[in-house]
Amino acid sequence: MNAIARHGVSIALACRAFEISETCYKYSPILSDKNEEIADWLECLTASKRNWGFGLCFLCLPNVQGYGWNHKRVYRIYCELELNLRIKPKRRLKRDKPEPLVVPDRPNETWSMDFMANQLADGRSIRTLNVLDDFNREGLCIEVDFSLPAERVVRSLNQIIEWRGQPQTIRVDNGPEYISGKLMEWAEKRNVRLEYIQPGKPQQNAYIERYNRTVRGNGLGNTSSKPSRRRKTRQRNGSGLTTTSDPTWALAASDPP
């Protein structure tokens, strides 16, 4: 347009020089009052439906209100009004990359914990908390109950520490009981380091996973779980006494069929 006004060249020559069509040069946008109507509708919808994004707002206009506006036109006005929903980033706990799995040099250097699930004959679900000493693969505790929240985990650890001693490190996964504030507070008071494995990589806690397989194969897999009694037993091993919850399947051998 400046070349035509200053140099007096024709429109056709200027369009050929700048490689644009004459239709594009002569086009002038037609401002429509419908843009204001679209803006009013969008502001009204987003004010009444605060969790609606562009997709739901646009679907409401033709399907509910009966307007036939083009989606690109509506989206352009939607962006100009800055009505886009803020995408809330997912909160992730920043954890250091765990060290390679090694065999400890002495007892109570590293323990491992993990949960297992099973089902009773009447359909009720039970959970077991397994605690293992990585030094000699000694099972320190098998706590069994219908629910094992973080408070029960802390109580079981305190019972083990009374006769076994305190560990330096406890390796766990990223379950809700292990990342709870109560367990972290307990570990801080006891000066015990909680070592979290990477999410989705149970092989980084291979010792307790192998122990779970033994418990499931020798206990859960060989007998049927019966929804009857639970008891506390104290068994003697090479290093002292350990308090464990006697699983229901351990009583099955003594019960008549």
Side-chain angles (χ1 to χ4, degrees), residues 98 101 104 108-114 129-134 140 153-154 156-158 160-161 165-174 178 183-184 186-188 190-197 204-205 208:
L101 193 63
N108 292 345
E109 184 175 343
T110 303
W111 291 1
S112 298
M113 289 195 306
D114 196 16
L129 172 65
N130 302 335
V131 184
L132 181 76
D133 192 328
D134 292 355
L140 305 179
V153 175
V154 171
S156 299
L157 292 175
N158 288 331
I160 302 173
I161 291 175
Q166 181 170 298
Q168 299 179 7
T169 304
I170 300 179
R171 185 184 296 108
V172 294
D173 57 20
N174 299 273
Y178 299 142
L183 184 61
M184 292 182 178
W186 174 87
E188 185 177 357
R190 288 276 191 173
N191 197 22
V192 176
R193 185 171 67 93
L194 295 177
E195 182 177 323
Y196 293 95
I197 66 174
Q204 295 178 354
N205 204 5
I208 192 67

Side-chain angles (χ1 to χ4, degrees), residues 3-4 7-17 22 25:
I4 296 174
H7 303 285
V9 298
S10 63
I11 296 177
L13 180 60
C15 290
R16 286 196 298 271
E22 296 185 27
Y25 172 79

Side-chain angles (χ1 to χ4, degrees), residues 49-222:
K49 307 290 185 181
R50 301 184 64 87
N51 60 338
W52 278 21
F54 169 75
L56 291 176
C57 291
F58 177 74
L59 289 176
C60 179
L61 294 177
N63 297 334
V64 179
Q65 305 300 331
Y67 294 105
W69 296 318
N70 184 273
H71 72 279
K72 291 182 288 186
R73 180 183 186 181
V74 177
Y75 184 70
R76 175 174 54 82
I77 300 174
Y78 181 83
C79 294
E80 290 176 357
L81 295 175
E82 297 181 353
L83 299 177
N84 307 64
L85 284 176
R86 173 180 173 269
I87 300 177
K88 186 177 181 181
K90 186 175 181 180
R91 182 183 177 185
R92 294 183 179 273
L93 295 176
K94 185 178 180 181
R95 300 186 179 93
D96 298 332
K97 187 175 181 181
E99 299 177 357
L101 193 63
V102 296
V103 179
D105 297 329
R106 57 188 180 277
N108 292 345
E109 184 175 343
T110 303
W111 291 1
S112 298
M113 289 195 306
D114 196 16
F115 284 102
M116 286 199 317
N118 195 34
Q119 196 172 40
L120 298 177
D122 60 355
R124 292 183 297 174
S125 298
I126 60 173
R127 302 186 74 192
T128 67
L129 172 65
N130 302 335
V131 184
L132 181 76
D133 192 328
D134 292 355
F135 171 71
N136 54 359
R137 315 297 195 276
E138 178 185 353
L140 305 179
C141 173
I142 301 179
E143 188 75 17
V144 185
D145 209 332
F146 297 105
S147 177
L148 293 172
E151 294 85 352
R152 292 288 303 276
V153 175
V154 171
R155 190 179 74 179
S156 299
L157 292 175
N158 288 331
Q159 291 175 351
I160 302 173
I161 291 175
E162 287 180 0
W163 63 268
R164 174 74 177 191
Q166 181 170 298
Q168 299 179 7
T169 304
I170 300 179
R171 185 184 296 108
V172 294
D173 57 20
N174 299 273
E177 297 85 1
Y178 299 142
I179 63 176
S180 66
K182 294 183 179 179
L183 184 61
M184 292 182 178
E185 182 180 356
W186 174 87
E188 185 177 357
K189 290 181 179 179
R190 288 276 191 173
N191 197 22
V192 176
R193 185 171 67 93
L194 295 177
E195 182 177 323
Y196 293 95
I197 66 174
Q198 291 177 304
K201 294 187 177 181
Q203 64 271 17
Q204 295 178 354
N205 204 5
Y207 294 146
I208 192 67
E209 294 292 341
R210 181 62 182 86
Y211 180 74
N212 291 346
R213 176 185 173 186
T214 302
V215 173
R216 186 176 297 276
N218 296 341
L220 299 176
N222 294 339

